[in-house]
Amino acid sequence: MELFIGIFLGGILMFGLISLFNKKKNVQKIEHQSAVLIEKIKSVCKLISVEGDFAEIYHYQDTKNQFFGLLTGKKKAILLVNAKAHVGFDLSKIQLQANTSKKEIVLTHFPEPQVLTVETDVKYYDKSDGFFNKFNAEDLTILNKEAKNFIIDKIPESGLLNNASKEALDTILMIEKMIETSGWSLNYTQLVLSKAQEKIEG
């Protein structure tokens, strides 16, 4: 009888230990899965939502005085700048939290749209050197950079950032679909998009 009780108690203890081990292992598996999901979303990094084409004329002039202002050297150029700007979201700035008990990813912060890339094609017209003030390779490098910055400064007034803001919800829904394929859900009920001035209801 005592042997039977001992075997019975031992069996219960063994069952309890196995259950505890499996539960702990399952929690660790879920926590690992949530970490992988969050890393997977952030690894997308820069997501382009809108693009815009620009064609601008940039005037450049540089004047230098020589010999105490007695002689003046003026170099100038007109640049035709064609550019393509990509605007979207840097998903490495997204803030996510995992609720492992509900298998739920909570979205607490979504980044504002920003200029991701600007590709420029610069053509020179009416480029002329001054007698004491000539263009060199470094000048042209700086001039190309100035032309690119000239386009970047035009982007806010172009409406591209506002258009990208309107695409924020579509981006979040795309992330939601990505999460759902892994058997989790995305909670964004309390997220407020500052640019869209709209609280998203889940």
Side-chain angles (χ1 to χ4, degrees):
M1 184 69 176
E2 292 179 356
L3 178 62
F4 175 76
I5 293 172
I7 293 172
F8 179 73
L9 292 175
I12 292 175
L13 180 63
M14 183 64 68
F15 177 77
L17 289 173
I18 291 173
S19 297
L20 183 64
F21 174 77
N22 287 336
K23 185 177 181 181
K24 184 176 180 181
K25 186 177 180 181
N26 190 46
V27 169
Q28 289 176 339
K29 182 179 178 181
I30 291 175
E31 288 178 348
H32 176 71
Q33 189 181 26
S34 68
V36 169
L37 273 174
I38 290 173
E39 195 58 38
K40 184 178 179 182
I41 292 167
K42 290 188 174 183
S43 68
V44 176
C45 283
K46 295 178 180 179
L47 182 67
I48 296 170
S49 60
V50 296
E51 66 176 30
D53 294 312
F54 295 82
E56 300 285 342
I57 295 176
Y58 181 64
H59 294 268
Y60 172 83
Q61 181 173 298
D62 178 73
T63 303
K64 287 185 179 179
N65 294 321
Q66 302 286 342
F67 303 109
F68 307 101
L70 297 175
L71 295 175
T72 300
K74 181 187 294 184
K75 59 185 176 186
K76 61 181 181 178
I78 297 175
L79 287 69
L80 175 60
V81 188
N82 290 302
K84 185 179 292 292
H86 294 121
V87 176
F89 306 97
D90 184 353
L91 296 187
S92 65
K93 297 178 181 178
I94 203 170
Q95 292 179 11
L96 301 165
Q97 296 175 352
N99 186 332
T100 54
S101 62
K102 294 183 178 180
K103 293 194 74 174
E104 179 181 83
I105 301 294
V106 182
L107 178 57
T108 58
H109 172 73
F110 193 80
E112 294 184 3
Q114 66 183 68
V115 179
L116 299 177
T117 61
V118 177
E119 302 167 2
T120 56
D121 178 33
V122 179
K123 291 183 172 62
Y124 289 84
Y125 294 92
D126 193 28
K127 182 167 75 72
S128 60
D129 293 313
F131 189 74
F132 296 103
N133 190 12
K134 298 182 183 298
F135 282 102
N136 56 40
E138 185 179 357
D139 291 332
L140 297 179
T141 299
I142 294 172
L143 197 49
N144 282 341
K145 186 175 180 180
E146 287 181 1
K148 185 174 182 177
N149 289 334
F150 178 69
I151 295 295
I152 291 172
D153 291 340
K154 295 279 184 180
I155 292 175
E157 63 190 58
S158 71
L160 285 179
L161 292 171
N162 288 333
N163 290 339
S165 292
K166 296 172 185 177
E167 300 292 330
L169 180 56
D170 288 338
T171 304
I172 292 169
L173 294 177
M174 184 200 70
I175 293 172
E176 183 177 36
K177 295 294 183 184
M178 183 190 303
I179 290 173
E180 286 176 349
T181 59
S182 299
W184 286 63
S185 62
L186 179 66
N187 182 343
Y188 51 88
T189 55
Q190 301 303 312
L191 180 67
V192 176
L193 297 176
S194 59
K195 288 290 184 182
Q197 298 178 349
E198 173 185 351
K199 186 172 180 179
I200 300 175
E201 299 295 337

